[in-house]
Amino acid sequence: MSDSLIAGLDQTQLLGLYHSLVLTRAAEERLEMLQKQGHVTGEIYRSIGQEAGAAGAAFALNRQTDGTGDFLAPTVRAAGALFLFGGELVDFFRQYMGRATGPTEGKEANIHWVDFQKGIIGPVSPLGTMLEVMAGITLSFKVRGESRVGMVFCGDDASSTGAWHEGLNFSAVQRCPLILMVEANQWAFSTATRKNTRVRSFTEKAAGYGIGSESVDGTDVMAVYEAVSRAAKRARAGKGTQMVELRYYRRLGYAQHDPQDYVDPDELAMWVDRDPIDLFERRILEEGWAAESVLHKIRIRAEEECKLVAEQATGEPVPDGREAVKGVYTDTITQHPWTRTDGPYRRDGSELNT
Ligand SMILES: Cc1ncc(C[n+]2csc(CCOP(=O)(O)OP(=O)(O)O)c2C)c(N)n1
Ligand SMILES: [Mg+2]
């Protein structure tokens, strides 16, 4: 590759983008293995086929670790964006295995954690509500005259909730520098998106709120990167809230328990053929941005990295029953988590049955 930039990215950055894709896939595959081994007590939600949406979007933002950068609220299917924002890989494994060493100290088994310095706002479970949270955060950027944006990921089904509409309307009216990433993966549990909404593209909903929008092939990491770069530029220039729709497919069931027997196999096969990692690899090789041997090394490095940190996290402890209920905001007597063998305790640590 010559010194010329591709969409403003140099070779190191292009390979960083590739690394992000393969790291996400490797991390989720490792997680699946840990679940089969009984180390993960809850569910896991794969983003296979959607990795380019998360990586391309986060790559286009200003990621800092000192509290001065852009903000991100990922969904569970946007772990790649979380990693790019500095979310530690080891914490990803700690969280899913409920380890005391994880950011939430074993209180939940997912990526719902917060790091203000890195700009990470872990999602809360009620769908659509992160739009309202991020509208507030980005309004504060605007009021302070800071050139910062906040990105919210949400599934296509989330757009049918009241919170989504209220949050989006507020953000639009206030011209908040918020970028809404709609993960149009065509499914919500076993309900096809076409049974959830009359619109063919979520950009039609954007028009209803008077905000800028683009629809992009979510399997094409460069196209996502370029669309989000444009959206971020508009948001920073005071043009207010923006939407980017990611068109792709939820290639596995909702979570591990879902056999996906309601999916048309031919439709699924078509999307397997449009695998975002394969597509980007082909492009890199065709354009001569890097050799296959370089890509191979990056893949091996990502897999090794996941193996190492997963082993580290597996060896770490789950919280003691008394610790697990600390910091939970209730004064009622708390039953001990079902994963623990001891307890139950009162919040002051004394045993309930004494
Ligand atoms: C307000 C609200 N209603 C229902 C749920 C239960 N729920 C969790 S995930 C989900 C489907 C999500 O579909 P989508 O937003 O398309 O995301 P995907 O799983 O396809 O990534 C539902 C209905 C919830 N979390 N919040
Ligand atoms: Mg969906």
Side-chain angles (χ1 to χ4, degrees):
M1 183 180 158
S2 69
D3 290 343
S4 59
L5 299 179
I6 313 294
L9 299 175
D10 62 22
Q11 189 191 39
T12 308
Q13 288 170 312
L14 287 169
L15 293 180
L17 208 41
Y18 178 72
H19 176 256
S20 169
L21 295 181
V22 293
L23 181 73
T24 312
R25 181 130 345 147
E28 290 184 3
E29 280 173 0
R30 179 63 50 181
L31 198 58
E32 210 174 292
M33 209 181 294
L34 291 169
Q35 193 192 40
K36 285 177 186 152
Q37 291 168 351
H39 295 299
V40 176
T41 48
E43 271 296 1
I44 61 174
Y45 309 84
R46 294 289 310 269
S47 72
I48 188 165
Q50 300 185 205
E51 296 95 337
F59 215 79
L61 296 193
N62 176 20
R63 292 161 280 127
Q64 303 296 333
T65 54
D66 61 358
T68 63
D70 294 336
F71 265 59
L72 165 78
T75 58
V76 69
R77 294 197 213 281
L82 179 75
F83 298 148
L84 281 170
F85 262 73
E88 298 286 342
L89 193 58
V90 67
D91 282 338
F92 172 81
F93 289 108
R94 285 169 171 156
Q95 285 290 110
Y96 274 99
M97 292 194 284
R99 295 308 196 241
T101 44
T104 63
E105 298 168 0
K107 287 190 185 61
E108 68 96 39
N110 204 293
I111 60 163
H112 301 198
W113 84 79
V114 169
D115 186 328
F116 288 121
Q117 293 302 103
K118 292 176 177 169
I120 296 169
I121 305 289
V124 289
S125 290
L127 299 174
T129 51
M130 292 316 288
L131 252 168
E132 297 172 328
V133 173
M134 196 57 91
I137 292 171
T138 50
L139 182 60
S140 80
F141 295 161
K142 190 186 150 193
V143 168
R144 290 198 295 252
E146 296 172 345
S147 181
R148 300 165 78 183
V149 302
M151 171 176 279
V152 182
F153 279 81
C154 77
D156 31 16
D157 186 42
S159 80
S160 299
T161 63
W164 192 92
H165 290 273
E166 290 179 31
L168 189 55
N169 190 54
F170 180 86
S171 183
V173 167
Q174 296 294 335
R175 298 181 80 76
C176 295
L178 181 151
I179 303 170
L180 169 60
M181 303 298 304
V182 180
E183 300 173 303
N185 66 8
Q186 307 185 36
W187 291 99
F189 290 141
S190 57
T191 303
T193 297
R194 65 177 182 281
K195 292 186 181 170
N196 245 331
T197 177
R198 293 285 299 165
V199 300
R200 284 176 167 256
S201 164
F202 288 91
T203 55
E204 292 175 42
K205 294 199 183 190
Y209 291 103
I211 61 168
S213 67
E214 273 194 59
S215 180
V216 66
D217 176 354
T219 65
D220 179 344
V221 72
M222 294 297 284
V224 174
Y225 171 78
E226 290 181 82
V228 175
S229 298
R230 285 189 289 271
K233 201 170 166 192
R234 289 195 293 272
R236 284 189 221 284
K239 296 193 188 311
T241 302
Q242 310 290 321
M243 174 196 287
V244 178
E245 175 188 56
L246 300 165
R247 298 189 315 271
Y248 44 30
Y249 201 79
R250 199 194 69 203
R251 277 175 40 193
L252 286 172
Y254 169 70
Q256 297 305 106
H257 64 269
D258 175 1
Q260 243 189 334
D261 44 10
Y262 46 84
V263 166
D264 172 2
D266 292 336
E267 183 176 88
L268 181 59
M270 193 190 85
W271 286 96
V272 171
D273 278 348
R274 290 178 56 183
D275 182 84
I277 298 182
D278 291 350
L279 289 176
F280 195 39
E281 264 171 23
R282 223 175 295 155
R283 175 120 195 245
I284 292 173
L285 298 176
E286 276 168 15
E287 305 267 6
W289 294 339
E292 165 52 27
S293 56
V294 175
L295 301 186
H296 178 75
K297 269 192 207 138
I298 294 174
R299 285 196 298 274
I300 298 294
R301 178 159 60 91
E303 281 161 19
E304 282 294 313
E305 212 178 330
C306 290
K307 184 169 181 282
L308 275 178
V309 296
E311 274 167 10
Q312 179 190 335
T314 308
E316 292 173 353
V318 294
D320 173 76
R322 286 168 210 267
E323 294 301 316
V325 293
K326 276 192 193 155
V328 177
Y329 297 97
T330 173
D331 285 334
T332 53
I333 293 166
T334 311
Q335 289 295 321
H336 71 293
W338 65 270
T339 45
R340 315 284 177 252
T341 50
D342 51 354
Y345 302 103
R346 295 189 182 88
R347 289 204 69 227
D348 64 6
S350 61
E351 277 197 45
L352 183 62
N353 297 327
T354 56

